[in-house]
Amino acid sequence: MNLVSRRRSIYVRAISKLCKMSPTCLKFFRVVFWNKQRVFVVGGHGGTAFDDNGRAVALHLAHDNGNLVYWISKSGDLAGLDHGNIRPLERGTLKAQIALELCHACLYSHGWTDVTSDRYRSRSWRIDVFLSHGVYGLKRAARYVDCPPNTPFDVTICSSDWERKVRARLFDVAEHKVLPVGLPKHDTYLEVQKNGLDTITHRVVYMPTWRDWLQAKPTQRAKDNHIAGLSGLITSMPKKDSSGRDFALTLVLHKNLKSWLSSFAAEFSEDRVRVVQSDKVDLQELLVSSETLITDYSSVFWDFSLTGRKAARYIFDQEIYEWITGEYPEASKLTAPITFFDPLQIWNFLQDDNNSDLSKRMAQEWAIYSRGDACSQIEMYLLENLETFR
């Protein structure tokens, strides 16, 4: 720890100690810094704001002029969150640490590192809310923990009763700490009306989920298998759909595969195929502008399907994925009718207009609490419980 960091830490700890000693000190600091506004600190995935629950909550809270929202990121920019009641702070700075120490509530998507690199310290006057990233089911959550054991929280959220039990067991908390409100980002997706069909182009977005074994130094065989799976889907894409429109596909590669991006872009250089990196594109905007989604184990399947547009699963490495990661049998059984292992079959499915609302019915059954009011319910919970945490 350098001298600046040490001084910052001493200053913040002194404030914290005074607040612990006297509620009057806490009230004094809040009035000095923010007058009578309620202060919320929000962080997104890795300090960014792509397709994220943190972004949705921040924008919702900012609509109330009685609220002041600090968006904490690595870069200290707003990441598209343009609102007068949202202020950007760079993670780790003195202002960010003071805001985190004295705020009424802190909300984060992936872990405590969204808002600070310091170790977790609970505060009796602050409500800590773990929003998480997506709906559980297609990817077994037990292999990783979005919220590490050393990052406790006061409450988290879920999209179904099944998920509530899974999260309570996974995080070793009582079920009443898992609020059945749905995901904030689904509020935006559910607001999206199905636009009129593009009369010329059928836009498809292909978003395969991240594979842990491709991290660091994967074997050549692992890389070849992955590339073969992606290529198989792309090369089998028909020229036109059943209505005569041209297919146009956007392949979204995970940001951890950026070293592969150039080779993929070169291989599929034709006009109807575009290869992009997940952290270099607004995923929410991309999903909203697409007519069809193809994925595998990603929770984006539920996000997209809730809008009423067609989605399907293409599995090209089931044996190794099930062995290393796995999925929940309940979700696997539900999505079996739209899960394919042959790329030709998936394109035939997508061309059949009779399957237009199949994935939507599945998503509504799985994410029953995603009704479009998650942000409102979270805000209501915070306002009702602020006094308890003082």
Side-chain angles (χ1 to χ4, degrees):
M1 183 181 293
N2 58 39
L3 182 60
V4 174
S5 298
R6 188 177 293 112
R7 287 178 176 175
R8 181 187 65 215
S9 179
I10 292 173
Y11 185 57
V12 173
R13 288 184 182 182
I15 292 177
S16 177
K17 189 173 183 179
L18 289 172
C19 292
K20 288 179 180 178
M21 292 171 58
S22 170
T24 304
C25 288
L26 173 63
K27 185 176 181 180
F28 169 78
F29 284 124
R30 283 177 171 174
V31 170
V32 168
F33 289 122
W34 305 302
N35 199 358
K36 295 183 178 180
Q37 284 185 295
R38 294 178 293 270
V39 178
F40 301 100
V41 166
V42 184
H45 181 202
T48 61
F50 72 90
D51 184 33
D52 193 80
N53 289 311
R55 176 167 68 175
V57 167
L59 286 170
H60 178 85
L61 292 173
H63 287 309
D64 187 333
N65 288 327
N67 298 336
L68 175 62
V69 179
Y70 283 109
W71 176 263
I72 294 185
S73 66
K74 292 178 181 178
S75 60
D77 59 42
L78 277 172
L81 297 170
D82 297 322
H83 196 287
N85 291 332
I86 300 180
R87 299 179 185 176
L89 289 175
E90 183 179 349
R91 192 183 68 170
T93 60
L94 179 60
K95 287 185 178 180
Q97 292 300 102
I98 291 176
L100 183 61
E101 192 68 31
L102 299 177
C103 67
H104 294 83
C106 174
L107 306 95
Y108 51 91
S109 295
H110 280 62
W112 190 242
T113 54
D114 286 354
V115 292
T116 181
S117 56
D118 290 354
R119 68 181 180 86
Y120 178 81
R121 295 183 178 89
S122 63
R123 296 292 180 254
S124 60
W125 55 82
R126 185 185 67 214
I127 306 175
D128 293 328
V129 183
F130 171 45
L131 299 171
S132 77
H133 173 57
V135 178
Y136 285 4
L138 296 180
K139 183 188 301 180
R140 186 168 288 276
R143 71 176 180 88
Y144 69 93
V145 181
D146 292 295
C147 180
N150 65 343
T151 305
F153 49 81
D154 297 305
V155 291
T156 186
I157 59 177
C158 68
S159 301
S160 68
D161 294 328
W162 174 88
E163 189 178 18
R164 190 179 199 181
K165 294 181 183 297
V166 170
R167 287 178 181 267
R169 183 172 64 251
L170 182 64
F171 302 136
D172 192 25
V173 297
E175 285 190 21
H176 73 266
K177 285 193 171 186
V178 186
L179 307 179
V181 299
L183 295 187
K185 63 180 176 180
H186 287 171
D187 294 0
T188 303
Y189 287 124
L190 290 170
E191 288 176 2
V192 175
Q193 298 297 319
K194 190 172 183 180
N195 298 322
L197 296 179
D198 188 321
T199 57
I200 299 176
T201 307
H202 184 145
R203 302 189 184 283
V204 181
V205 58
Y206 177 31
M207 295 181 60
T209 196
W210 169 239
R211 270 77 170 162
D212 288 344
W213 56 90
L214 297 177
Q215 187 81 34
K217 297 181 179 179
T219 64
Q220 189 60 45
R221 181 181 178 185
K223 294 177 64 175
D224 290 343
N225 287 342
H226 193 72
I227 292 175
L230 302 183
S231 301
L233 180 74
I234 296 173
T235 55
S236 63
M237 179 174 63
K239 292 289 185 181
K240 297 180 181 293
D241 67 5
S242 58
S243 63
R245 294 177 299 155
D246 296 327
F247 272 116
L249 183 142
T250 299
L251 168 62
V252 182
L253 284 182
H254 194 279
K255 61 180 181 179
N256 291 347
L257 294 179
K258 59 185 176 182
S259 60
W260 301 18
L261 189 62
S262 58
S263 60
F264 255 93
E267 183 174 354
F268 302 106
S269 57
E270 56 180 307
D271 292 339
R272 65 192 194 123
V273 177
R274 180 169 67 119
V275 184
V276 299
Q277 191 174 310
S278 64
D279 61 341
K280 299 299 183 182
V281 64
D282 188 320
L283 294 183
Q284 190 173 75
E285 181 179 328
L286 177 61
L287 291 173
V288 167
S289 63
S290 299
E291 185 176 333
T292 304
L293 169 76
I294 302 175
T295 186
D296 40 32
Y297 301 95
S298 174
S299 64
V300 73
F301 170 80
W302 310 112
D303 305 341
F304 190 87
S305 297
L306 283 168
T307 68
R309 286 166 292 168
K310 189 181 295 186
R313 301 178 63 204
Y314 168 53
I315 310 297
F316 58 82
D317 57 356
Q318 183 185 32
E319 185 175 348
I320 186 172
Y321 198 94
E322 288 293 329
W323 178 58
I324 297 178
T325 305
E327 61 182 315
Y328 292 99
E330 296 90 341
S332 179
K333 181 179 179 180
L334 177 66
T335 59
I338 51 87
T339 301
F340 302 93
F341 306 93
D342 183 334
L344 291 175
Q345 289 181 341
I346 198 167
W347 288 114
N348 290 335
F349 169 82
L350 294 177
Q351 287 186 306
D352 187 348
D353 294 334
N354 294 325
N355 302 316
S356 58
D357 65 344
L358 187 56
S359 57
K360 179 182 179 180
R361 296 201 305 268
M362 292 177 182
Q364 289 176 332
E365 179 180 342
W366 192 258
I368 60 173
Y369 293 120
S370 288
R371 307 187 187 100
D373 63 348
C375 289
S376 297
Q377 291 197 66
I378 290 172
E379 182 180 26
M380 187 181 302
Y381 173 86
L382 294 175
L383 296 180
E384 290 176 349
N385 290 274
L386 286 182
E387 292 295 331
T388 306
F389 284 80
R390 290 184 180 180

